Amino acid sequence: MSIVITEESHNRVAWQANRPVVSVLIGILAAVLFLVAVVVFSPSPVRWQVSGAILVAGLAIAVAIVLTMPMVDSGFLERSPDGGDLRRVQTWFLRGTREVFGLALGDIATFELETRSFEDGPTGSYPLARLRVIAQDGSHEILTDWTETHLARDLVDVLTKVGRRELASPEGVGSAVV
């Protein structure tokens, strides 16, 4: 997932994280068509049943992806003279736009950057980060999903500046290998 800051001013920041839903669906379609073409031209007497099973499985996987993965994850923080708002919304393929959460700026205590290293095979690892909001009552809200560390750091720098909040100290925030 790649985060892009779409708007930045002294009192407003907006960001968007696009997800590769369309490219994944195109990949599934290409794989299904390839497998069906290979099976249909085989001399096997069950080629039509296998082709149908491949089509049904591809369709089921595509529907599951569309229903469980938002296409766009976006949000904004706006500081106004009478307070301000922080909102996170997700745009789904079939369900439209839904608000994940919203907080008044006065209810935000701080922002937190959580970093972790994820394993990539037996010898490698790669760091990812996500942003969280800590409310005045101590509750945590996830502001972004896992993304590249430098993109999350750029966003949290802008959020702390616009929202006039401090970045939480990294105590207790993990750098564990997952």
Side-chain angles (χ1 to χ4, degrees):
M1 183 175 76
S2 177
I3 295 175
V4 177
I5 298 174
T6 58
E7 180 183 348
E8 180 181 355
S9 67
H10 72 283
N11 64 345
R12 180 175 168 83
V13 62
W15 68 91
Q16 183 172 328
N18 293 324
R19 296 177 183 241
V21 175
V22 175
S23 59
V24 168
L25 292 176
I26 290 171
I28 290 171
L29 175 66
V32 166
L33 290 177
F34 174 76
L35 290 173
V36 166
V38 168
V39 170
V40 165
F41 292 114
S42 72
S44 174
V46 293
R47 65 180 178 236
W48 298 112
Q49 291 86 356
V50 173
S51 297
I54 291 171
L55 287 172
V56 169
L59 181 64
I61 291 170
V63 167
I65 287 173
V66 165
L67 293 177
T68 60
M69 185 184 292
M71 292 175 38
V72 178
D73 196 350
S74 59
F76 71 90
L77 172 67
E78 186 167 17
R79 184 175 35 87
S80 61
D82 59 337
D85 285 333
L86 173 69
R87 301 270 183 241
R88 179 181 178 199
V89 295
Q90 292 179 335
T91 304
W92 297 79
F93 189 67
L94 297 175
R95 293 185 268 173
T97 301
R98 306 277 190 222
E99 185 171 311
V100 177
F101 76 86
L103 286 173
L105 188 57
D107 294 338
I108 298 172
T110 187
F111 295 100
E112 184 176 61
L113 183 66
E114 179 182 6
T115 59
R116 295 229 173 126
S117 292
F118 291 86
E119 291 184 1
D120 187 24
T123 59
S125 66
Y126 56 95
L128 293 179
R130 69 178 175 184
L131 295 176
R132 296 191 298 184
V133 177
I134 301 175
Q136 295 289 353
D137 63 2
S139 64
H140 291 68
E141 293 286 346
I142 295 175
L143 192 56
T144 65
D145 287 332
W146 294 105
T147 187
E148 295 179 34
T149 305
H150 72 281
L151 296 174
R153 192 169 310 279
D154 291 345
L155 180 59
V156 79
D157 289 343
V158 174
L159 286 172
T160 55
K161 183 174 69 173
V162 171
R164 296 186 177 166
R165 299 291 188 267
E166 295 293 320
L167 182 62
S169 63
E171 306 165 357
V173 179
S175 60
V177 176
V178 177

